[in-house]
Amino acid sequence: MDSFNSEYNQENRDPFEPMSYQREPVYRQPEEYGRFESKSPERPQKPRKKKSGVLKVVVLCLVCAFLGAVVLPLVSYVTGGNSTTLYVGDREPTKVELTAVNTEKEMTTAEIYAAYVNSTVGITVDIVSTNVFGQTVTGAAAGSGFVITEDGYILTNYHVINSANSITVTFVDGKSYPAIFVGGEEENDIAVIKIDAKGLTPVVIGSSDDMLVGEQVTAIGNPLGELTFTETTGIISALNRTITMSDGRKMNMIQTDCAINSGNSGGPLFNCHGEVIGIVSAKYSSSSGSMSSATVEGLGFAIPMDDVAKMVSELVTNGYVSGKPLMGISVGNVGQSVQVYGVPAGAEVLVVTPGLCGEKAGLKEGDIITKVDGKEVKTSDEFISIKNEHAVGDVLELTVYRGGETLTLKVTLEESTPEKEQKQTEAQEEYQKKLQEQRQQQYSQQYGSNSPFGFIFGD
């Protein structure tokens, strides 16, 4: 570019001007022609017809009127006798009506965004946890949520605020509020938080059972926790899709091809009437990093509102879901490595919460539940699924394998309350602490001062 500029600057030309082909002039002797001519042959000129001055004025007025009324949107660029016409749209800009939202009529995606972006929030949390080596680890996470009452109750995913040390809610106008945890339902991945604010714009809750495959849906959220208040659109790809979550839980989901990414979790999924029919919860992604693997796109999932609407109402009112059965134990799967020695498959009891019905029935850590009411159980998911099918007060007959013996125990299910849930959480944390201490001892015995992690475990 520098050489190009210098070449044409020497001739006092603008280097960015368009270049055109020009003929070289030819000079003839004055005595022969007496003037300068080009190589092109002379063309005979037609005699011009004279027009009256009045006619010229009339024609000029007509041309001006035509340009002002019709040709104004057309831009013509003429070069060397050739013309190119660009057609410029002159439609009226889209108008979004916000005075009253009528969910009986369909709304455009622009109207949905304008009406409910103020109801959508970004959620950031500070998390304090303990790693497998007993060290305290701090971190941050981000998600989405939406306002469900005028006085500050907000719905989101449980996994967005789980283990949060602090919760901050941000609106599209930039205002931020600290939030408190009201209550949650981990198995259904929903949670309610609250901020100290009045006069908010709540969303309108719709019915997910009324939706059909192929209907248009819209999501608003904070993908990646940075691209705040992003709207994406798509359709319902499938209904009643059973999805196995990363922790093994199975959930009923709405499948959509809306663009969903990390940070969208907890945000609203709207139907074409501007009603929330789902809570954006997950995206299916490829677990392989191989270049030969096909990239998974367009597989997003949302929790149907009809599945959790009653739970949400109870979380706002009571802080917990009433009528939920509780057994007072935590279970896991029996490893394949011990099954080869004759230990049966089933739900292994990892934690027995003191004072709850599991302990009262005689269950102990290390027990393996192989049957419930005579129905065989091979995994912890199967056991939890059977338990959730029963109501508070039901008596379950458990077949338990303990140290080579088979026992029969009866458990009466209790109602879950925040106090009992807290007891279970404390018991689970104590179990994790003991497990971490055991791992530390194992590493210390195996590696000693030559720990591969670059440090020596303390007493």
Side-chain angles (χ1 to χ4, degrees):
M1 182 63 73
D2 291 338
S3 61
F4 180 84
N5 290 342
S6 62
E7 178 182 351
Y8 286 91
N9 283 334
Q10 291 174 0
E11 300 179 4
N12 296 321
R13 296 177 181 173
D14 184 352
F16 297 99
E17 286 182 351
M19 299 173 62
S20 60
Y21 179 74
Q22 296 179 349
R23 294 187 178 93
E24 292 292 333
V26 178
Y27 293 90
R28 302 300 180 95
Q29 295 296 328
E31 60 270 17
E32 184 178 358
Y33 294 103
R35 61 184 178 86
F36 165 76
E37 292 184 355
S38 67
K39 289 184 180 181
S40 300
E42 293 183 358
R43 297 180 181 178
Q45 296 182 352
K46 296 181 180 180
R48 297 181 179 178
K49 297 181 180 180
K50 295 183 179 180
K51 299 181 180 178
S52 64
V54 175
L55 181 60
K56 290 182 179 180
V57 172
V58 172
V59 172
L60 180 60
C61 291
L62 290 175
V63 170
C64 292
F66 179 76
L67 290 174
V70 179
V71 190
L72 187 59
L74 305 180
V75 180
S76 178
Y77 176 70
V78 181
T79 304
N82 297 324
S83 64
T84 300
T85 303
L86 304 179
Y87 294 87
V88 180
D90 59 351
R91 70 174 180 86
E92 289 291 329
T94 300
K95 295 181 180 180
V96 179
E97 298 292 341
L98 294 179
T99 55
V101 177
N102 181 8
T103 59
E104 293 182 359
K105 71 172 185 176
E106 292 189 5
M107 302 171 66
T108 66
T109 53
E111 288 173 335
I112 292 173
Y113 185 84
Y116 294 114
V117 68
N118 292 320
S119 307
T120 307
V121 300
I123 299 175
T124 55
V125 299
D126 291 326
I127 299 174
V128 179
S129 60
T130 305
N131 62 19
V132 295
F133 309 115
Q135 298 173 310
T136 299
V137 179
T138 59
S144 305
F146 52 96
V147 177
I148 54 176
T149 68
E150 294 182 358
D151 56 347
Y153 284 92
I154 295 170
L155 182 61
T156 185
N157 283 144
Y158 187 88
H159 74 262
V160 170
I161 53 84
N162 188 27
S163 303
N165 189 49
S166 64
I167 305 171
T168 301
V169 168
T170 304
F171 286 81
V172 68
D173 61 3
K175 291 182 180 179
S176 295
Y177 301 86
I180 60 172
F181 174 71
V182 175
E185 175 62 28
E186 184 175 7
E187 292 181 4
N188 291 282
D189 199 19
I190 58 172
V192 172
I193 58 178
K194 190 178 187 308
I195 62 174
D196 186 11
K198 303 289 184 182
L200 301 179
T201 303
V203 299
V204 177
I205 304 297
S207 175
S208 54
D209 289 345
D210 293 339
M211 300 302 295
L212 299 174
V213 173
E215 287 196 83
Q216 179 177 296
V217 288
T218 300
I220 302 177
N222 300 294
L224 308 182
E226 299 176 354
L227 305 177
T228 55
F229 304 100
T230 294
E231 180 183 53
T232 56
T233 62
I235 63 168
I236 291 181
S237 305
L239 295 167
N240 300 316
R241 187 73 83 189
T242 301
I243 301 299
T244 302
M245 308 304 287
S246 58
D247 59 1
R249 290 179 296 112
K250 295 183 184 295
M251 295 186 65
N252 177 48
M253 291 283 194
I254 297 172
Q255 181 182 328
T256 177
D257 65 351
C258 274
I260 293 173
N261 293 280
S262 299
N264 277 112
S265 292
L269 185 70
F270 297 94
N271 63 14
C272 60
H273 296 275
E275 301 167 329
V276 176
I277 49 89
I279 308 167
V280 176
S281 183
K283 176 187 177 182
Y284 193 90
S285 61
S286 175
S287 60
S288 173
S290 172
M291 293 296 291
S292 62
S293 300
T295 302
V296 178
E297 294 293 344
L299 292 179
F301 300 94
I303 302 169
M305 282 304 303
D306 285 339
D307 287 3
V308 297
K310 183 179 178 181
M311 298 179 189
V312 172
S313 179
E314 291 198 41
L315 289 174
V316 171
T317 304
N318 306 321
Y320 68 97
V321 177
S322 63
K324 178 184 174 183
L326 176 142
M327 191 176 290
I329 62 174
S330 298
V331 294
N333 295 324
V334 178
Q336 294 287 342
S337 59
V338 297
Q339 290 185 41
V340 298
Y341 296 104
V343 177
E348 181 182 2
V349 178
L350 304 177
V351 180
V352 178
T353 305
L356 300 186
C357 54
E359 184 187 54
K360 295 174 183 176
L363 285 170
K364 296 182 179 181
E365 294 181 5
D367 286 350
I368 300 174
I369 302 171
T370 58
K371 292 181 181 180
V372 179
D373 291 337
K375 185 176 181 179
E376 191 173 16
V377 171
K378 292 188 176 181
T379 66
S380 59
D381 287 339
E382 291 179 358
F383 170 75
I384 294 172
S385 178
I386 294 173
K387 185 262 294 182
N388 289 339
E389 293 173 356
H390 290 75
V392 175
D394 287 352
V395 179
L396 304 184
E397 184 176 273
L398 308 181
T399 301
V400 177
Y401 175 86
R402 180 188 295 169
E405 298 181 359
T406 300
L407 308 174
T408 300
L409 302 175
K410 292 185 178 181
V411 180
T412 302
L413 297 179
E414 299 179 2
E415 182 179 9
S416 176
T417 64
E419 293 77 18
K420 293 177 182 178
E421 291 283 357
Q422 181 62 31
K423 284 185 177 181
Q424 286 213 135
T425 300
E426 293 173 354
Q428 291 168 355
E429 291 175 350
E430 186 64 25
Y431 167 77
Q432 292 294 333
K433 183 178 179 181
K434 291 180 180 178
L435 191 62
Q436 291 164 4
E437 291 174 353
Q438 291 175 0
R439 289 175 178 172
Q440 290 179 5
Q441 292 176 0
Q442 290 174 358
Y443 280 119
S444 297
Q445 292 173 1
Q446 183 174 357
Y447 297 105
S449 60
N450 297 320
S451 170
F453 299 101
F455 58 87
I456 301 175
F457 295 108
D459 293 335

